[in-house]
């Protein structure tokens, strides 16, 4: 149960970090993300 509780605390921060990194990659290489 401790692992589940810890994951519940960490997951939102991990998802936010992923969003920030994704935004940075898109800004650095915008032509790779155009259709």
């Amino acid at each position: 149960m401790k692992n589940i509780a810890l994951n519940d605390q960490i997951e939102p921060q991990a998802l936010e970090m992923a969003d920030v990194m994704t935004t940075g990659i898109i800004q650095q290489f915008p032509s790779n993300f155009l259709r």
Side-chain angles (χ1 to χ4, degrees):
M1 295 300 274
K2 288 182 182 180
N3 282 343
I4 295 171
L6 185 59
N7 185 65
D8 287 345
Q9 292 175 358
I10 294 172
E11 185 179 14
Q13 184 177 3
L15 292 174
E16 185 177 343
M17 290 169 55
D19 287 344
V20 169
M21 288 187 276
T22 300
T23 300
I25 291 168
I26 291 171
Q27 288 177 350
Q28 189 171 3
F29 306 103
S31 63
N32 291 342
F33 299 93
L34 297 175
R35 290 182 183 243

